[in-house]
Amino acid sequence: MADAGLVIIGAGLSGLTTALFSRDDFLLLEKSSRPGGLLKTEDIEGFLFDFTGHWLHLRDPRTKDFIADLMGDGMVTVNRKAAIWSNGVMTLFPFQANLFGLPPAVIRECLQEAVASAVSRAAGTAAVPGNFEEYANIHFGRGIARHFIVPYNTKLWGVPPSEVTAEWTQRFVPMPDIAQIIDGALGFSAQAMGYNVSFIYPATGGIESIPRAMAARLDHSRIMFNTAPTALNADERWVEAGGRRISWDRLVSTTALPDLVKMTVDAPDVIRKAAAELRCSPLRFVNVALDVPTPLDGNHWIYLPETKYPFYRVGCFSNAVKSLAPAGKSSLYVELAPDTTMPEAEITAALQDFLIEIGSITEKSQLLFARYRNHPWGYVIFDERCVPARDLILGWYRSKGIKSIGRYGAWTYNSMEDAMLEAMAAAG
Ligand SMILES: Cc1cc2nc3c(=O)[nH]c(=O)nc-3n(C[C@H](O)[C@H](O)[C@H](O)COP(=O)(O)OP(=O)(O)OC[C@H]3O[C@@H](n4cnc5c(N)ncnc54)[C@H](O)[C@@H]3O)c2cc1C
């Protein structure tokens, strides 16, 4: 008989949800000292920082019911306030539907190209996009692509969108029609667009309140913290962890796919070669405290496409939920281009200059502290090889009865809701 009906690797949102929905006796192995994964919240001197913005958008009744049951009335609803800073002006998000306020030459270029691309799409003469840059040119026009989509996404991934396939974008990039683009250029502000027009969030404690509530419902004798498997045999169905060999009937892994392959002693060469082809940008961000109550013009986050800034997005937790900073102060996250070579002190200085430029602070000393953070996994790079290599690996594990799920386990671009839904399915 196996030691556990179900072994789960990783106690992030995916692993915790799997455990909660599993009917088998489970054993949950987590390498860090507490659950949550990317949903951890750091408390520095009363300022709370998530792993950059983690705002929950729920559309599916199963996740709505799950979170309502878990959190009761402990969630608040927030209407998104997001903007773009470029050409020295603040415009509404999404860029493509809110050109109003930009310099006239930029608006003209964006509009002319958007109209030209709409005409060629309507005439059926538009090319089939071979990559994300071509997709942006064809669907938004070269102006919008040049002024926002291409530079912003290059900063986010650290690779140009011409290296990224177009498929993943449909859901995450708001797609206005030409009438909406024209309205937005003339200041008839588009109605809120995109997948995240409002979100919910824990009233207190940061996003980690969710995994904390999940973990509280689990039998703690079934969770091993500070424990990462050192070896896994897919055919013989065992892992070595915590100094012992643990056999299973079923295994769900949420560790990053390349790490799963590395620990799998019987992975064939073809799977190891495929794993070597997977690319992901690392996460680099800064937790920042300000001695002002409502920076960024009250926005929850601001996109910065221009290369002169080493950061691509600056967000303010406490603008969305006041409990995330002491009274009269604010907590910010600053997301850094993964390939920036600028030293930290210079990045902090650039941030102070930026905050003064947009009128959020008047003195550099109003930036109270800046703490730099790194995480090996950020955004999967969907280049040409990504999906075939990933699917080959996932198929091999499936053939062994192993499910590799989650943001980095399934090697995907997902939301918290996606992670919960996938885990509910994997648990059964
Ligand atoms: C920068 C960023 C911002 C985001 N913002 C949002 C947002 O605003 N809204 C939204 O809906 N989603 C957002 N997401 C997505 C969200 O974070 C993920 O969907 C979700 O956290 C995925 O959870 P997971 O359990 O799959 O992965 P993870 O959170 O990475 O959890 C994996 C867990 O496994 C553990 N682990 C790893 N390897 C091992 C090992 N070998 N042995 C044991 N344990 C191991 C880790 O310590 C971790 O606890 C964001 C993601 C990122 C990167």
Side-chain angles (χ1 to χ4, degrees):
M1 196 175 125
D3 298 317
L6 171 65
V7 165
I8 304 166
I9 303 176
L13 190 60
S14 301
L16 290 168
T17 308
T18 306
L20 280 167
F21 281 81
S22 164
R23 284 186 300 270
D24 291 325
D25 58 314
F26 70 86
L27 189 60
L28 179 49
L29 310 174
E30 167 55 52
K31 73 174 175 187
S32 82
S33 57
R34 65 183 211 266
L38 287 169
L39 272 64
K40 290 202 181 83
T41 302
E42 191 178 2
D43 182 339
I44 309 174
E45 300 168 24
F47 293 84
L48 299 194
F49 301 98
D50 295 338
F51 241 74
T52 85
H54 264 83
W55 316 111
L56 191 51
H57 319 280
L58 299 181
R59 283 167 292 201
D60 191 291
R62 288 168 294 173
T63 51
K64 285 183 180 173
D65 290 349
F66 177 41
I67 292 293
D69 176 54
L70 196 66
M71 303 299 289
D73 55 8
M75 302 291 282
V76 292
T77 301
V78 182
N79 288 325
R80 178 192 73 199
K81 279 187 75 181
I84 290 120
W85 177 260
S86 67
N87 296 282
V89 290
M90 197 83 87
T91 52
L92 293 173
F93 173 85
F95 182 90
Q96 51 270 32
N98 293 288
L99 300 172
F100 185 71
L102 288 163
V106 175
I107 299 181
R108 183 180 58 184
E109 181 190 346
C110 291
L111 272 187
Q112 286 179 344
E113 296 287 347
V115 169
S117 75
V119 168
S120 84
R121 285 200 315 277
T125 55
V128 176
N131 58 53
F132 182 46
E133 180 170 348
E134 289 174 14
Y135 174 89
N137 286 336
I138 290 165
H139 286 269
F140 301 105
R142 288 177 183 277
I144 289 171
R146 190 169 82 79
H147 286 283
F148 184 75
I149 295 182
V150 170
Y152 174 75
N153 285 292
T154 303
K155 283 172 85 175
L156 175 93
W157 286 310
V159 303
S162 56
E163 283 186 34
V164 173
T165 60
E167 285 79 32
W168 71 271
T169 56
Q170 326 305 12
R171 187 172 141 210
F172 294 100
V173 182
M175 181 70 229
D177 60 30
I178 190 65
Q180 288 171 313
I181 293 178
I182 291 170
D183 278 356
L186 294 171
F188 298 106
S189 187
Q191 70 222 52
M193 288 186 77
Y195 67 93
N196 53 2
V197 293
S198 72
F199 50 84
I200 58 171
Y201 190 86
T204 56
I207 199 69
E208 191 169 339
S209 298
I210 293 177
R212 213 179 284 128
M214 289 179 164
R217 291 193 174 182
L218 293 171
D219 173 356
H220 275 231
S221 69
R222 309 299 301 166
I223 309 179
M224 293 167 72
F225 289 111
N226 303 305
T227 305
T230 48
L232 178 156
N233 190 308
D235 259 339
E236 295 175 12
R237 298 186 172 224
W238 52 256
V239 281
E240 280 174 357
R244 64 186 176 111
R245 185 169 283 191
I246 303 161
S247 58
W248 75 71
D249 290 324
R250 292 197 305 127
L251 184 119
V252 171
S253 172
T254 72
T255 193
L257 200 50
D259 287 348
L260 179 64
V261 173
K262 240 178 256 163
M263 76 173 76
T264 305
V265 292
D266 55 340
D269 275 352
V270 61
I271 295 301
R272 290 188 192 286
K273 280 195 188 120
E277 299 199 83
L278 301 178
R279 295 161 74 202
C280 183
S281 66
L283 273 191
R284 298 178 63 196
F285 58 97
V286 200
N287 293 331
V288 174
L290 296 185
D291 194 9
V292 296
T294 320
L296 313 184
D297 286 357
N299 283 295
H300 305 142
W301 61 87
I302 293 177
Y303 300 85
L304 295 106
E306 289 164 329
T307 49
K308 65 178 176 178
Y309 303 104
F311 24 85
Y312 60 85
R313 194 163 45 191
V314 177
C316 180
F317 298 111
S318 51
N319 278 356
V321 179
K322 283 288 164 215
S323 63
L324 296 172
K329 304 188 192 304
S330 48
S331 51
L332 267 67
Y333 58 95
V334 178
E335 301 179 81
L336 302 179
D339 56 352
T340 183
T341 52
M342 200 183 263
E344 291 181 0
E346 284 180 35
I347 294 174
T348 304
L351 179 65
Q352 287 166 319
D353 290 342
F354 166 68
L355 292 169
I356 289 172
E357 187 184 3
I358 65 169
S360 287
I361 59 174
T362 50
E363 306 287 334
K364 291 189 174 193
S365 59
Q366 287 172 309
L367 190 155
L368 300 173
F369 61 75
R371 303 283 162 81
Y372 285 76
R373 301 288 179 256
N374 296 306
H375 185 67
W377 310 110
Y379 293 89
V380 165
I381 296 173
F382 288 93
D383 60 15
E384 261 191 344
R385 285 299 306 140
C386 174
V387 172
R390 175 194 69 183
D391 289 353
L392 181 75
I393 302 169
L394 292 177
W396 184 78
Y397 279 105
R398 261 198 313 275
S399 75
K400 305 285 174 191
I402 293 172
K403 293 179 182 163
S404 184
I405 65 163
R407 185 171 176 101
Y408 306 108
W411 203 252
T412 191
Y413 183 102
N414 72 357
S415 65
M416 291 183 272
E417 176 170 62
D418 298 329
M420 287 186 279
L421 288 172
E422 189 189 20
M424 287 174 192

